């Protein structure tokens, strides 16, 4: 069995907890490089996972013709330039979500993949979630009937990540909770609905709770600690309505809200049945039959979505075939996120 040699660029939270682990567990992969501007961080992970090569500049890795696959796990602002450089160097790329800072950059990445003939996948890991795929089966089989509306909520109490750092700096992240959390929910929805044509988008965003960084109260902070001399110019709340040629989609998202409860779910409303999916959890199916109402919790064997994501990426490379996470299949999410931000800025509905 042929093995592919891999590199991971960026050794932050998602790389250290998921990508590096998943590659190390894949029998068809030999992880050869870890790349990070913080050499000590890369060295610690290299020691843990027995990775032989460490670089602080990804360009030094590009010259190694043995490396076939690369995960790009950097801040959003670097997704497009690094992914394009890797593709043009003849590497297949798995770029973490979001694809890029905006849809224009995402299409530039797609064009580079087309020119190079290489695979470009985006880290939309929920497409590999067993529960999500079960819901997709129910929708496609007609079990829900006509799915006329979808509602999603990705709201938390006080969860702004890395206040003052890359996550809250628009020039580095492209936006706040919408591009960070909303990308997962919107992509999940478009995947289940098989990418219906988007007609119009209306959105509003608010950066309300951390205008004064030092007064922002929180219990814990992922990607922290806070940098009180840093920047906070992104949204911590978003609301929107998307009209498609099929379903309408309504969303509410918050990194931070003055409601002390999290609400992380997606509801698919059909004229025969409805589904409520708890994000990263089980789902309930609501239906009626012979004048009676039915409610059932649907559970499937839990799968490791990152293991499956990496496995499918490697399989896609070895078979030279595009899979469900290929850039061609996920551009609609970038388009809708762009449109939501544009609508919020203009204060009116926009047409795609």
């Amino acid at each position: 069995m042929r093995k592919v040699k891999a590199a991971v660029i960026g050794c932050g939270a998602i790389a250290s907890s998921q990508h590096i682990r998943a590659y190390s567990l894949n029998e068809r992969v030999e992880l050869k490089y870890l790349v990070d501007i913080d050499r000590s961080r890369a060295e610690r992970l290299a020691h843990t996972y027995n990775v032989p090569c460490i670089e602080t500049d990804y360009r030094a890795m590009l010259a190694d013709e043995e490396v076939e696959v690369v995960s790009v796990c950097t801040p959003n602002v670097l997704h497009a330039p690094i992914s394009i450089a890797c593709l043009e160097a003849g590497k297949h790329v798995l770029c973490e979500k979001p694809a890029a800072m905006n849809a224009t950059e995402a299409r530039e990445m797609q064009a580079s993949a087309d020119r190079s003939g290489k695979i470009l996948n985006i880290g939309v890991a929920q497409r590999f979630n067993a529960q999500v795929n079960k819901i997709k089966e129910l929708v496609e089989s007609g079990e829900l009937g006509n799915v006329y509306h979808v509602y999603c909520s990705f709201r938390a109490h006080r969860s702004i990540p890395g206040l003052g750092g890359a996550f809250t700096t628009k020039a580095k992240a492209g936006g706040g909770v919408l591009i960070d959390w909303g990308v997962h929910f919107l992509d999940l929805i478009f995947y289940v609905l098989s990418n219906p044509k988007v007609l119009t988008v209306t959105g509003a965003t608010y950066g309300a709770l951390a205008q004064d960084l030092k007064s922002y109260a929180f219990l814990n902070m992922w990607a922290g600690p806070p940098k009180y001399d840093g920047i906070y110019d992104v949204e911590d709340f978003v609301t929107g309505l998307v009209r498609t040629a099929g379903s309408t989609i309504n969303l509410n998202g918050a990194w931070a809200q003055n409601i002390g409860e999290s609400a992380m779910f997606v509801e698919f409303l059909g004229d025969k049945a409805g589904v409520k999916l708890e994000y990263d959890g089980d789902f309930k199916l609501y239906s009626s039959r012979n004048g009676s109402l039915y409610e059932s919790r649907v559970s499937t064997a839990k799968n490791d979505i990152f293991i499956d994501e990496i496995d499918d990426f490697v399989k896609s490379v070895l078979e030279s075939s595009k899979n469900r996470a290929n850039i061609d299949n996920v551009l609609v999410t970038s388009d809708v996120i762009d449109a939501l931000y544009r609508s919020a800025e203009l204060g009116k509905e926009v047409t795609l």
Side-chain angles (χ1 to χ4, degrees):
M1 179 178 59
R2 186 172 80 83
K3 285 192 172 187
V4 298
K5 288 185 169 60
V8 175
I9 302 174
C11 294
I14 193 65
S16 59
S17 65
Q18 305 297 352
H19 286 250
I20 297 171
R21 175 184 67 89
Y23 280 126
S24 70
L25 294 173
N26 193 307
E27 61 182 10
R28 295 176 294 183
V29 175
E30 180 184 331
L31 188 53
K32 186 174 182 180
Y33 283 87
L34 295 183
V35 182
D36 197 277
I37 57 174
D38 183 345
R39 188 177 182 87
S40 63
R41 180 162 62 179
E43 286 176 341
R44 288 193 297 272
L45 288 165
H47 177 74
T48 300
Y49 290 97
N50 195 30
V51 181
C53 302
I54 298 167
E55 296 289 350
T56 55
D57 187 336
Y58 72 92
R59 284 166 286 229
M61 175 275 298
L62 294 182
D64 189 336
E65 295 182 356
E66 284 193 333
V67 175
E68 293 185 62
V69 301
V70 178
S71 273
V72 177
C73 302
T74 63
N76 298 350
V77 68
L78 297 174
H79 283 188
I82 292 180
S83 294
I84 290 170
C86 290
L87 290 163
E88 292 179 349
K91 319 296 185 189
H92 302 278
V93 174
L94 170 56
C95 178
E96 252 307 321
K97 64 81 190 171
M101 295 276 280
N102 51 58
T104 299
E105 287 187 353
R107 280 184 164 75
E108 291 171 355
M109 293 163 66
Q110 181 191 38
S112 179
D114 289 343
R115 285 193 305 270
S116 66
K118 298 300 178 183
I119 298 295
L120 171 58
N121 279 13
I122 305 303
V124 283
Q126 288 300 318
R127 290 182 176 229
F128 299 92
N129 185 316
Q131 296 289 74
V132 171
N133 279 286
K134 184 61 179 177
I135 295 171
K136 184 173 175 64
E137 289 177 15
L138 292 173
V139 170
E140 292 178 347
S141 70
E143 185 78 17
L144 273 59
N146 173 41
V147 179
Y148 55 88
H149 185 70
V150 182
Y151 173 65
C152 71
S153 171
F154 44 99
R155 295 163 31 235
H157 184 203
R158 294 277 179 146
S159 295
I160 297 173
L163 187 66
F167 276 98
T168 67
T169 303
K170 188 174 182 179
K172 294 182 178 180
V177 67
L178 173 60
I179 202 169
D180 184 37
W181 286 358
V183 63
H184 283 304
F185 287 78
L186 284 169
D187 187 79
L188 184 162
I189 291 166
F190 282 111
Y191 172 61
V192 168
L193 299 181
S194 299
N195 287 354
K197 178 180 175 58
V198 179
L199 304 176
T200 63
V201 175
T202 303
T205 59
Y206 304 89
L209 295 191
Q211 290 301 309
D212 179 0
L213 273 66
K214 290 187 177 179
S215 68
Y216 173 70
F218 60 96
L219 294 177
N220 52 63
M221 181 176 293
W222 58 282
K227 298 177 181 178
Y228 292 120
D229 59 348
I231 297 173
Y232 186 79
D233 62 354
V234 298
E235 80 283 356
D236 50 51
F237 184 90
V238 62
T239 186
L241 175 67
V242 181
R243 294 181 183 274
T244 79
S247 313
T248 50
I249 303 166
N250 184 214
L251 61 111
N252 286 295
W255 268 342
Q257 60 181 2
N258 283 325
I259 301 294
E261 300 172 1
S262 291
M264 298 281 190
F265 61 85
V266 184
E267 296 173 336
F268 294 88
L269 306 181
D271 57 10
K272 290 184 179 179
V275 161
K276 180 170 184 176
L277 170 70
E278 297 295 339
Y279 189 72
D280 274 340
D282 294 333
F283 68 88
K284 286 186 177 181
L285 177 68
Y286 299 88
S287 61
S288 64
R289 189 167 63 251
N290 299 325
S292 297
L293 299 177
Y294 292 84
E295 173 187 327
S296 57
R297 176 172 291 277
V298 182
S299 299
T300 62
K302 295 297 185 291
N303 65 311
D304 187 317
I305 60 176
F306 290 97
I307 293 286
D308 289 349
E309 176 187 47
I310 294 292
D311 184 65
D312 213 44
F313 172 50
V314 173
K315 180 182 178 183
S316 180
V317 167
L318 291 172
E319 296 179 354
S320 298
S321 62
K322 296 180 179 180
N323 72 1
R324 73 193 80 172
N326 188 271
I327 185 69
D328 294 353
N329 299 321
V330 303
L331 281 173
V332 62
T333 304
S334 294
D335 288 337
V336 169
I337 288 174
D338 271 19
L340 284 163
Y341 281 132
R342 189 162 69 252
S343 173
E345 183 179 354
L346 295 173
K348 63 180 183 180
E349 184 179 72
V350 298
T351 301
L352 269 66

